[in-house]
Amino acid sequence: MSDAESPPDDDVPSVPDDEIPDGDEFEPVQVFPDNELDLREGADDCYKCSTCDTNCPVAEVDDDFPGPKFQGPEQWRLKQKDDHDVDDSIMDCSNCMRCDNACPSDVPLSQMHNEARGEYVDQQMDKLSVEYWRNRVLANYRISAWFASKVPRLANAVMGNSLVRQVGEKVFGVTAEREFPEFAQQTFRQWWAERGGPQVRSEDKRVAYFHGCYANYNTPEVAKAMVRVFEHFGYQIAVPDQGCSGTPMYANGMLDDARRDAKLNIKEFSELVEEGYDVVCSCTSCSMSLRQEYPELFSFEGTAEVSASTYEAVEYLRIHEDLNDAISAASVDGPDLAYHAPCHARNQGLDRQAVELFRDLDGVGIEDVGESCSGISGTYGWKAEKYDKSMAIGEEMFEHMDEAEGETGMTECPTCAMQMEHGSGYEIRHPLELLEDALVAA
Amino acid sequence: MADTPSVLVIGGGSTGCGIARDLAMRGLDVTLVEKGNLTHGTTGRMHGLLHSGGRYAVSDQASARECIQETRVLEEIASHCVEETGGLFVKRPEDTEEYFERKLRGCDECDIPTEVLSGREARQREPYLAKDIDKAITVPDGAIDPFRLCVANAVSAENHGARIETHAEVTDLLVEAGEVVGVEVRHQSGKGTRSHGAAGTIEEIEADYVVNATGAWAGQIGEMAGVDIEVRPSKGVMTVMNVRQVDTVINRCKPKGNADIIVPHETTAILGTTDAEVDDPEDYPEEQWEVDLMIDELSKLVPKLQSARTIRSYWGVRPLYEPPGSGTTDSEDITRDFFLLDHAERDGLPGMTSIVGGKFTTYRMMAEDISDHVCAKLGVSATCRTADVALPGSKNYRVLEDAMDDYGLTSPIAKRSTQRLGSRAEEVLSITDPNPVVCGCEGVTRAELQDAIGQAGTDLNAVRIRTRASMGNCQGGFCTHAMAQELHPEYDAAQSYAALDELYQERWKGQRHALWGEQLSQAMLTYALHATTMNRDSDPVDREEAIDFSAFDDGGDAATGTDTRTTAADGGAHGD
Amino acid sequence: MAIEQDVLVVGGGLAGITAAISAAESGAHVRLVSYKQPTLRHASGLIDVLGYTPDGEGPIVDPFDAVEDLPEGHPYERVGPAAIEAGLDLFDDIAGDTYEGNHTDRNALVPTHGGAVKPTARYPDSTAAGLASDGRDALLVGFERLVGFDAPLAAKHLAAAGAPFDARGVTVEFPVELSADPKVTRFAHLLDQDKPIGGGTRGVRRALAELVNGRLDGEARVGFPAVLGDDHPREVRTDLAEHIGADVFEVPMGPPSLPGIRLEDRLYEALDEAGVSIETGNPVVGFEADGDRVESVVVDRTGNDVPYAAEEYVLATGGLVGKGIDSDREGVEEPVFDCHVAQPSDRYDWFEDEAFGDHRFARFGVDPDRELRPMDAGGTPEFSNLRAAGSVLGNYDFAAEKSGSGVSLATGFHAGRLAGEGAT
């Protein structure tokens, strides 16, 4: 007898049916709705080897940070149901997710961290504090960016003003050390509408583009490169309505905000997936979020389908087209590149992709600047109190960039790009832009 | 001292420690001897259920009433040992409605407060309960740490002047003129706290009265004086899960049966149990089917258990007793009540009483009964105070939490430390030396270990039961050696290594019953760390033949830092 | 469409890397796919070949003398002494001057963090000055906040083992203010960076050396737990040695193990230099076969199943710890290709009652023919183009024998070369 058929004495109106666990399909994520996730059993997989700790860029520069093994399996195992105090060090985790990739025993570390952070913010953080609202604004970058995009020149002028930045640090805790990213004069979506949408039609080659916030508001050239490269290979592109992927929200424990945007994204993209589209992202944190975090955190209808159909853009072409041959046959005239693999690319097995692909491209040298984390981790490095830590983590990457031949940087992640530029002064490019140069512009 | 009557208590389980405390608080001169460490026998091998009495509410209402009464007492005097989890009797569709009603009525008759929950309400409280659970009865069951409770009783006894000797095995009863006048004990490593490698000594301890509180071992003590004590030891298995799948005690609502209870215990959940009579309380088979039965049967209540990780299993032996001639065949039907066997009345052997039967939850009441009995014998009029005076450390730990910030511990570690140490937390943790975590699984710091070593000497198993160090998912793989290192330099190197070997073997013993899946991977990693990286399995110190160091590579020039690669005298790398 | 290569190596530990490089050397296009980080960083970084016989005789002075007496089915017996030599040669080439020990066939005895010594064939240069057969007196230095290595205790235990030198141990506070539980990587990072401390000009290395100087009593060498740098270990050691005025060595720890991490970094560089394509982070979840040939394996790329096709495959997924061998209450399996794993049907025969007994589980793994093709229960290769290397192999107890790295190198080399030759 399932609960749906239970007699009327089971009438407990406050708990909707779908929140009651369902026989053998016990998934903790479904069992404990909203903020009552219980991941203690994720601790079953941990055999304490500390591989995660050796991969944690924060623990390396800050010994007050107890590390992913503690933040994940140990804390969840030690914590008891009615304990409502997640250790506050959870806010020092930068959500780079390297521990996920490290664990030889399949512990859902980043999921545990996301949940612990969500619980901490929800139950222990003062909602009237400047820190809470600063994090909330940083996490909801898309909303600020939307306003700024209405008046990009004014926004750039204001944000570029050093006085404004000093005030931002003093009052709001946003570091004055960084220059705010410049807003594009025309967003990608404006450009897309202006060109009249897709220029290529296809029945069997269709991708839905998740451009995310940054490529829309700040670097539309990356998004345009994606469009041109995919159209070059004969794909019909759709650009549906979309919100933020959620990455900066998880990182700040703002799970409600993430849920709101995820709902929209899953609705829009699952409709296209049903029509045979695959989902393609140009930002590796966005693809990470749709692929891994959505199914871990949400259970909207279509979540699994969207997750299983999502790819990073270059990865998609490597799988579906003979990209190696195309690259081998092409040549460009460009500067040598110092490539940094974003942590979130590493988690998707994409950390070697750009280097292995472009080393066969004539006219350009590419060098991996090592496996260290850039240290910015999205909004993390923007917080005044985290700035020094962020730069300490990045030091190894800056060192390697300095040692590399190339004086132009390359990475898939927009915030890593900010950090690379901030630490080295190099111009930073996206692999899609180089692909466009090699295959389309030629 | 001649004015103060002396009592010798044999057995350092909950009953013995409870008696020692009770008599010491009444002003008697008490010595307790225990052949292993405290809780070595049955107390250390129970499932940690603090009975509300619900389990006996149908079959044995007298016991049920005692349980609810004592549970209320322990919640007051031993709050740092008790977790008030609450309990559920859950009914599956195949369990009878009639028994459910009888259980409910029985609880009512015994003044055990209950509430009936629908299946859905029960799952709201415990989301991993099987979806076909029909309904449930709530009862005020709890979880209790038997180790901490036992140690707290012993510490209290010591505070009242008692002498507690562990690793002191009774080798003979001293009988003079037909009366028991004391015992002969063998101290494994001399008097006082254990010190590995120290020479064993024999001591004769005289006393005005002897109490045999050795439970399942009572018959063996009786034999020494030629009296027959018909204890019927009954074994039961307990399987420890790595995490708590439930936060409430889950009982299956049906008449007697194997595998019908899940007790959340500290960081773990414990599945129990079986009930089978054995001949010898120290030598009985521990079998695979028993572990499998726990998992398969209890999965019917909590399906998640089927795929969850277990970290070990252990067996306990109940000290069941029934008066001669009762003729019960099934050990499950033997009463859980306890009996005082005054050997003067029973066997014509004055000077000693044995206490047998009974159950952990009512240990204090049993201790009170026998203490009254002993006092009557000795003409002491002092009355029992154990129900009114809190045990050392007992204090609601929630009021201590704020203070924990001072010790620089991360939140869950501070929380668990405070839970274990109770009101002693400040005394133990307020040290100025660096205080790293030594056992990550259970969040045990150096200061807590040093405190336990102060109490237990080189007996790392006694340190373990005080702190929980090495009781988590790695079962000591990552901390047993670090724990042993804490013994040095107070104890010498050989003692530290001997203590390590003993603890490591003890951890292995229980883990053997959990070797599949994650725990087998864990065991292999532990084995690799201890054998490959540390070479503990072939440690030259333990081998008979001395190593000829000169026969091995001495590094050649590389070692002396000239950093040139030379060809060694034996002709260089093989095959070159 | 499938992602194509000549040889596909599944597993990124020592065996997989060796196999990939050895296959690449034969001219094949090789791709290595590895799900999570290998167990290299659990291990001490020592390259053991054979320290004890399967009967527990030892420590063995020359492993090559003992190899010939190994029982049938042991991985060394399968591949023969030539493969062991070739595997070690390949390792020596990769490791360059970061490892020592190839000047002799004899094993070295290296002090462990537990205070014992263990026999090993190659050892990181950072441990070279610490060998137990070196007669120079040694001071061992431990850190207050680093549990697991008690230097005074280890020193006494070395003496008890009859080591031919005087060892003394001291415990010091690391000269940087630290929380109670710094990670090993934190110590390494501080020593790598060597920043001035306390506002002065004195760096961390110098400050540590001065602490040690005060405790030195004429010892010619000083041993530290293996946290002396991650990126710049040699500079850290050289500076410490210079400031202390004695040779400096590391006592391997683990897990986590800095020597293991450094070795892993070096090995991945070597993979890159050999032109091997590398993909980490995604698991192999299935395969397609045609008769006795594996046609492709399926990689789960964060939710998307993608086929990878090759001529030859090498399975190097590790043992019980690396999850190349999996188990449940019912039995033991090799989860990728479901190759036969011999096992007692009764779970209670998988182990012995003594903690360091001759555990059957320690020898769980696939049973290969002499070309390292896993065989089915009847002794026939499961697939003609699938070979196995490293601890996914059964029939040996690497922990008791101290043979883990040697078997990975020998079988990795052998499997890789046969795969490379078969594919080109």
Side-chain angles (χ1 to χ4, degrees):
Chain A
M1 184 173 70
S2 81
D3 280 290
E5 306 158 37
S6 295
D9 71 13
D10 264 0
D11 185 23
V12 186
S14 60
V15 180
D17 268 351
D18 60 359
E19 294 183 3
I20 297 289
D22 201 29
D24 294 327
E25 297 149 37
F26 273 6
E27 284 305 322
V29 177
Q30 293 163 4
V31 173
F32 299 89
D34 295 334
N35 294 317
E36 286 187 40
L37 284 169
D38 191 326
L39 293 171
R40 282 180 290 184
E41 62 172 308
D44 273 5
D45 286 326
C46 176
Y47 55 37
K48 319 292 288 191
C49 68
S50 300
T51 301
C52 52
D53 285 348
T54 63
N55 278 268
C56 176
V58 180
E60 190 175 309
V61 300
D62 175 10
D63 50 275
D64 280 327
F65 183 66
K69 177 165 62 113
F70 174 80
Q71 298 289 1
E74 283 180 356
Q75 168 152 278
W76 279 101
R77 188 171 175 278
L78 287 168
K79 190 168 143 18
Q80 290 172 7
K81 193 182 185 181
D82 54 352
D83 289 354
H84 283 309
D85 46 352
V86 169
D87 194 65
D88 54 12
S89 59
I90 191 67
M91 295 310 284
D92 287 332
C93 162
S94 71
N95 198 38
C96 72
M97 301 169 79
R98 295 169 77 90
C99 45
D100 260 3
N101 194 38
C103 177
S105 199
D106 262 342
V107 178
L109 285 145
S110 66
Q111 188 188 8
M112 289 176 142
H113 299 159
N114 275 334
E115 292 304 339
R117 193 165 26 234
E119 193 174 310
Y120 177 85
V121 170
D122 201 50
Q123 297 177 7
Q124 288 163 255
M125 208 172 190
D126 178 4
K127 303 296 181 299
L128 297 174
S129 69
V130 170
E131 186 187 1
Y132 175 82
W133 281 100
R134 187 268 322 264
N135 289 358
R136 190 122 196 236
V137 168
L138 285 174
N140 286 278
Y141 174 74
R142 177 169 169 271
I143 294 172
S144 327
W146 180 84
F147 280 115
S149 72
K150 301 293 162 202
V151 281
R153 283 194 186 82
L154 177 61
N156 291 337
V158 171
M159 301 308 261
N161 181 308
S162 73
L163 183 63
V164 171
R165 278 161 40 200
Q166 294 301 334
V167 170
E169 170 151 344
K170 291 264 169 353
V171 177
F172 217 47
V174 174
T175 181
E177 299 289 338
R178 294 187 190 278
E179 288 178 29
F180 286 94
E182 209 164 298
F183 294 98
Q185 305 299 325
Q186 182 190 42
T187 68
F188 165 69
R189 294 186 73 89
Q190 286 165 349
W191 174 84
W192 177 255
E194 197 176 278
R195 89 197 278 256
Q199 305 294 305
V200 173
R201 301 282 166 182
S202 168
E203 284 297 310
D204 54 343
K205 293 173 81 168
R206 296 172 156 195
V207 294
Y209 181 31
F210 190 92
H211 48 66
C213 312
Y214 206 78
N216 185 42
Y217 295 113
N218 301 86
T219 55
E221 60 278 11
V222 171
K224 292 176 199 167
M226 180 277 165
V227 167
R228 290 180 188 125
V229 169
F230 272 72
E231 288 190 342
H232 169 80
F233 282 105
Y235 286 87
Q236 176 174 331
I237 300 170
V239 183
D241 270 355
Q242 51 194 276
C244 169
S245 72
T247 303
M249 294 151 177
Y250 316 136
N252 287 287
M254 309 289 177
L255 294 187
D256 287 343
D257 290 339
R259 184 171 289 108
R260 176 198 64 214
D261 280 20
K263 192 173 178 181
L264 168 74
N265 293 337
I266 290 167
K267 180 182 162 291
E268 291 291 328
F269 281 88
S270 63
E271 281 169 12
L272 288 164
V273 167
E274 232 168 84
E275 291 170 30
Y277 283 82
D278 285 323
V279 183
V280 165
C281 307
S282 50
C283 161
T284 42
S285 293
C286 294
S287 59
M288 185 73 218
S289 175
L290 267 57
R291 290 170 125 172
Q292 180 175 322
E293 283 156 323
Y294 273 21
E296 280 177 357
L297 298 170
F298 311 120
S299 47
F300 302 112
E301 199 183 333
T303 306
E305 290 75 11
V306 169
S307 167
S309 308
T310 300
Y311 300 79
E312 189 274 335
V314 178
E315 174 194 25
Y316 191 83
L317 293 175
R318 284 186 92 200
I319 295 170
H320 294 90
E321 304 297 329
D322 204 335
L323 199 55
N324 272 358
D325 268 11
I327 282 291
S328 303
S331 72
V332 292
D333 183 17
D336 284 349
L337 299 164
Y339 171 79
H340 164 75
C343 297
H344 291 176
R346 193 172 298 280
N347 282 44
Q348 297 164 78
L350 304 174
D351 52 320
R352 301 267 313 167
Q353 173 175 277
V355 171
E356 287 181 9
L357 182 65
F358 291 130
R359 71 181 170 196
D360 294 335
L361 176 62
D362 269 355
V364 65
I366 182 164
E367 203 174 330
D368 195 334
V369 296
E371 56 164 44
S372 59
C373 172
S374 77
I376 192 166
S377 288
T379 58
Y380 189 83
W382 280 95
K383 300 170 184 171
E385 77 280 7
K386 305 279 196 293
Y387 175 78
D388 287 343
K389 213 178 289 184
S390 158
M391 293 303 282
I393 295 169
E395 200 161 324
E396 194 179 327
M397 180 187 75
F398 301 144
E399 222 175 85
H400 291 160
M401 285 180 77
D402 195 44
E403 287 161 12
E405 291 282 316
E407 296 198 342
T408 297
M410 170 173 276
T411 191
E412 288 90 349
C413 166
T415 56
C416 287
M418 282 179 209
Q419 177 88 332
M420 292 168 80
E421 189 181 349
H422 183 62
S424 68
Y426 294 175
E427 180 201 347
I428 314 296
R429 307 192 74 203
H430 189 286
L432 282 168
E433 295 177 90
L434 184 57
L435 270 187
E436 185 190 7
D437 285 354
L439 305 177
V440 187
Chain B
M1 289 301 286
D3 300 330
T4 310
S6 59
V7 179
L8 184 120
V9 180
I10 312 173
S14 50
T15 314
C17 290
I19 297 167
R21 177 184 193 228
D22 195 330
L23 292 172
M25 285 174 78
R26 300 192 203 205
L28 275 68
D29 176 12
V30 180
T31 301
L32 180 145
V33 294
E34 158 60 48
K35 70 172 176 177
N37 55 39
L38 297 176
T39 76
H40 169 84
T42 302
T43 300
R45 314 188 72 78
M46 49 100 61
H47 44 43
L49 171 66
L50 184 63
H51 279 278
S52 64
R55 283 176 75 82
Y56 306 124
V58 174
S59 58
D60 185 354
Q61 294 203 339
S63 290
R65 285 196 189 90
E66 289 171 4
C67 282
I68 185 72
Q69 192 184 328
E70 281 301 298
T71 289
R72 299 294 187 224
V73 172
L74 288 175
E75 285 168 1
E76 286 305 313
I77 66 163
S79 62
H80 65 317
C81 307
V82 172
E83 186 186 349
E84 293 177 37
T85 59
L88 294 175
F89 279 84
V90 298
K91 178 188 167 306
R92 288 189 48 78
E94 63 267 32
D95 303 335
T96 70
E97 191 67 34
E98 187 222 339
Y99 187 79
F100 189 87
E101 290 304 322
R102 280 178 64 195
K103 178 69 78 182
L104 202 54
R105 215 167 42 241
C107 286
D108 192 40
E109 286 160 8
C110 299
D111 294 324
I112 301 166
T114 58
E115 200 184 319
V116 174
L117 300 184
S118 68
R120 174 175 295 189
E121 285 166 333
R123 280 185 291 280
Q124 250 186 294
R125 176 154 170 188
E126 285 299 339
Y128 287 130
L129 280 178
K131 68 171 183 178
D132 56 357
I133 296 291
D134 294 337
K135 51 183 175 176
I137 302 170
T138 65
V139 290
D141 281 347
I144 185 157
D145 189 307
F147 304 116
R148 211 174 296 149
L149 182 76
C150 210
V151 169
N153 271 285
V155 169
S156 169
E158 283 186 312
N159 292 346
H160 288 89
R163 173 183 173 203
I164 308 286
E165 283 288 344
T166 57
H167 301 284
E169 182 173 11
V170 171
T171 47
D172 203 4
L173 288 175
L174 304 178
V175 181
E176 273 175 26
E179 180 175 354
V180 177
V181 296
V183 299
E184 179 193 87
V185 298
R186 186 176 57 226
H187 294 288
Q188 199 178 329
S189 59
K191 295 180 194 173
T193 54
R194 181 140 180 235
S195 178
H196 272 80
T201 54
I202 303 286
E203 183 187 7
E204 288 192 354
I205 305 174
E206 297 197 342
D208 296 324
Y209 205 82
V210 173
V211 176
N212 173 18
T214 54
W217 286 261
Q220 296 177 4
I221 297 293
E223 265 176 41
M224 294 177 186
V227 300
D228 203 18
I229 304 170
E230 284 277 309
V231 182
R232 295 178 62 178
S234 151
K235 71 164 178 172
V237 67
M238 262 72 61
T239 293
V240 188
M241 309 308 295
N242 177 47
V243 297
R244 290 162 64 135
Q245 283 79 18
V246 292
D247 291 286
T248 309
V249 175
I250 306 295
N251 303 271
R252 181 147 180 197
C253 191
K254 65 171 191 180
K256 64 170 187 173
N258 285 329
D260 62 355
I261 186 165
I262 307 168
V263 184
H265 180 75
E266 303 279 329
T267 45
T268 70
I270 298 179
L271 316 184
T273 181
T274 47
D275 197 339
E277 205 164 329
V278 297
D279 294 331
D280 183 339
E282 289 189 45
D283 186 18
Y284 49 84
E286 301 176 347
E287 289 168 287
Q288 175 177 347
W289 69 265
E290 297 174 277
V291 176
D292 288 341
L293 181 76
M294 290 307 112
I295 297 169
D296 294 336
E297 272 302 302
L298 287 165
S299 299
K300 293 176 185 168
L301 307 186
V302 178
K304 195 87 210 163
L305 294 174
Q306 196 63 248
S307 59
R309 172 176 177 178
T310 88
I311 52 181
R312 65 194 282 116
S313 287
Y314 58 90
W315 276 254
V317 178
R318 300 176 190 82
L320 300 184
Y321 177 84
E322 59 177 13
S326 306
T328 309
T329 50
D330 189 339
S331 61
E332 259 183 90
D333 295 330
I334 298 176
T335 176
R336 264 49 179 171
D337 204 356
F338 66 92
F339 299 86
L340 299 188
L341 309 179
D342 184 329
H343 297 293
E345 294 163 17
R346 187 176 176 268
D347 308 297
L349 177 69
M352 180 167 87
T353 290
S354 296
I355 180 162
V356 288
K359 57 202 157 303
F360 179 82
T361 301
T362 57
Y363 87 94
R364 195 208 58 80
M365 184 183 272
M366 291 158 66
E368 180 176 344
D369 265 29
I370 195 162
S371 296
D372 287 347
H373 178 78
V374 170
C375 285
K377 290 269 171 189
L378 296 173
V380 174
S381 59
T383 53
C384 177
R385 294 191 293 137
T386 56
D388 307 316
V389 181
L391 284 160
S394 178
K395 194 167 178 185
N396 191 338
Y397 69 85
R398 289 180 201 287
V399 306
L400 298 167
E401 274 170 19
D402 292 345
M404 295 308 291
D405 284 348
D406 304 340
Y407 309 126
L409 302 176
T410 44
S411 180
I413 290 175
K415 197 150 210 153
R416 297 285 86 78
S417 297
T418 320
Q419 239 174 21
R420 289 188 293 259
L421 292 163
S423 50
R424 297 187 57 242
E426 189 177 354
E427 166 199 337
V428 174
L429 298 174
S430 60
I431 51 155
T432 49
D433 291 337
N435 189 25
V437 171
V438 177
C439 165
C441 297
E442 296 291 329
V444 187
T445 60
R446 174 175 288 164
E448 206 181 331
L449 286 170
Q450 285 297 345
D451 172 64
I453 290 168
Q455 292 178 19
T458 61
D459 190 340
L460 290 179
N461 278 309
V463 171
R464 167 176 67 78
I465 63 170
R466 282 165 173 78
T467 59
R468 289 193 61 80
S470 78
M471 291 175 82
N473 43 344
C474 79
Q475 290 285 291
F478 284 84
C479 69
T480 47
H481 51 294
M483 285 169 70
Q485 288 167 1
E486 291 297 321
L487 294 171
H488 186 262
E490 191 182 341
Y491 297 94
D492 70 25
Q495 289 179 300
S496 162
Y497 281 91
L500 167 58
D501 288 343
E502 186 178 272
L503 175 63
Y504 191 78
Q505 178 64 34
E506 192 283 335
R507 294 285 81 194
W508 178 247
K509 185 174 189 281
Q511 209 185 163
R512 293 173 306 153
H513 300 288
L515 292 184
W516 67 85
E518 286 305 334
Q519 202 61 30
L520 184 57
S521 293
Q522 179 79 66
M524 189 64 213
L525 177 58
T526 298
Y527 180 45
L529 167 60
H530 286 260
T532 313
T533 306
M534 288 193 264
N535 199 18
R536 293 217 303 113
D537 62 328
S538 297
D539 190 334
V541 175
D542 301 332
R543 289 168 88 92
E544 283 173 17
E545 238 175 286
I547 294 182
D548 177 7
F549 281 88
S550 67
F552 290 84
D553 176 14
D554 64 1
D557 289 344
T560 51
T562 51
D563 212 29
T564 50
R565 307 186 122 209
T566 54
T567 301
D570 64 351
H574 205 90
D576 281 358
Chain C
M1 68 194 252
I3 292 181
E4 291 183 353
Q5 46 276 312
D6 299 329
V7 176
L8 186 77
V9 177
V10 185
L14 185 56
I17 293 168
T18 309
I21 292 174
S22 126
E25 282 179 353
S26 62
H29 172 220
V30 183
R31 187 181 305 272
L32 178 145
V33 294
S34 168
Y35 181 25
K36 297 297 180 88
Q37 281 184 355
T39 55
L40 269 167
R41 56 180 72 203
H42 297 172
S44 61
L46 300 177
I47 301 295
D48 306 340
V49 169
L50 192 67
Y52 297 85
T53 69
D55 298 331
E57 300 287 315
I60 294 167
V61 176
D62 184 340
F64 287 94
D65 289 344
V67 161
E68 287 165 22
D69 299 327
L70 291 171
E72 186 171 340
H74 190 289
Y76 284 150
E77 180 273 332
R78 299 278 92 177
V79 301
I84 307 175
E85 289 155 22
L88 277 174
D89 285 346
L90 190 145
F91 177 80
D92 289 339
D93 284 348
I94 294 171
D97 60 2
T98 63
Y99 269 75
E100 300 289 348
N102 69 345
H103 60 280
T104 174
D105 287 340
R106 290 178 296 161
N107 274 327
L109 295 172
V110 179
T112 75
H113 71 103
V117 295
K118 71 167 274 192
T120 193
R122 299 286 187 275
Y123 42 91
D125 60 342
S126 66
T127 62
L131 300 189
S133 299
D134 180 337
R136 296 175 299 156
D137 291 349
L139 177 71
L140 300 182
V141 179
F143 298 138
E144 290 275 5
R145 290 158 206 265
L146 188 63
V147 298
F149 176 58
D150 183 316
L153 181 60
K156 284 188 187 158
H157 202 62
L158 276 175
F165 56 91
D166 284 338
R168 209 162 53 80
V170 295
T171 303
V172 301
E173 263 282 37
F174 197 75
V176 178
E177 198 175 315
L178 291 170
S179 69
D181 300 294
K183 309 277 171 262
V184 291
T185 46
R186 176 71 182 142
F187 289 106
H189 185 81
L190 287 166
L191 287 164
D192 272 342
Q193 301 275 313
D194 197 27
K195 295 224 165 110
I197 51 176
T201 53
R202 216 171 44 133
V204 176
R205 297 173 197 170
R206 174 150 218 137
L208 177 58
E210 284 172 10
L211 268 181
V212 172
N213 272 335
R215 312 294 290 268
L216 201 65
D217 186 17
E219 286 91 350
R221 48 189 180 148
V222 178
F224 291 92
V227 298
L228 304 184
D230 180 3
D231 294 333
H232 309 294
R234 184 159 285 175
E235 290 87 330
V236 172
R237 233 168 38 247
T238 308
D239 278 4
L240 285 173
E242 192 176 307
H243 298 321
I244 295 174
D247 276 356
V248 165
F249 64 93
E250 288 187 317
V251 178
M253 304 261 297
S257 152
L258 259 307
I261 292 170
R262 294 179 206 133
L263 175 60
E264 185 184 321
D265 289 346
R266 177 68 205 109
L267 291 169
Y268 274 84
E269 277 170 28
L271 273 179
D272 206 15
E273 289 157 12
V276 174
S277 302
I278 311 165
E279 280 181 26
T280 60
N282 294 313
V284 172
V285 294
F287 69 100
E288 295 286 336
D290 182 9
D292 76 342
R293 283 185 64 78
V294 177
E295 290 289 303
S296 65
V297 299
V298 181
V299 175
D300 174 1
R301 299 185 59 115
T302 327
N304 321 120
D305 286 351
V306 178
Y308 285 58
E311 293 297 316
E312 292 277 338
Y313 299 82
V314 178
L315 178 69
T317 42
L320 286 166
V321 180
K323 304 296 170 81
I325 298 294
D326 208 352
S327 65
D328 59 21
R329 280 195 285 152
E330 310 307 321
V332 186
E333 60 160 8
E334 182 281 294
V336 177
F337 294 99
D338 198 21
C339 293
H340 170 68
V341 177
Q343 57 194 279
S345 57
D346 184 343
R347 197 171 77 220
Y348 277 57
D349 292 332
W350 295 358
F351 58 82
E352 296 295 323
D353 291 344
E354 288 299 313
F356 290 120
D358 182 15
H359 301 303
R360 185 67 184 81
F361 70 76
R363 285 177 279 123
F364 282 159
V366 301
D367 183 17
D369 69 4
R370 289 178 190 283
E371 294 184 22
L372 292 180
R373 291 174 303 192
M375 298 187 294
D376 62 20
T380 310
E382 299 259 14
F383 302 98
S384 60
N385 59 342
L386 174 69
R387 292 163 219 284
S391 49
V392 72
L393 297 172
N395 305 331
Y396 75 117
D397 178 344
F398 74 82
E401 295 171 9
K402 328 296 168 197
S403 63
S405 301
V407 166
S408 291
L409 291 172
T411 57
F413 169 82
H414 197 59
R417 193 183 55 180
L418 292 172
E421 287 170 1
T424 51

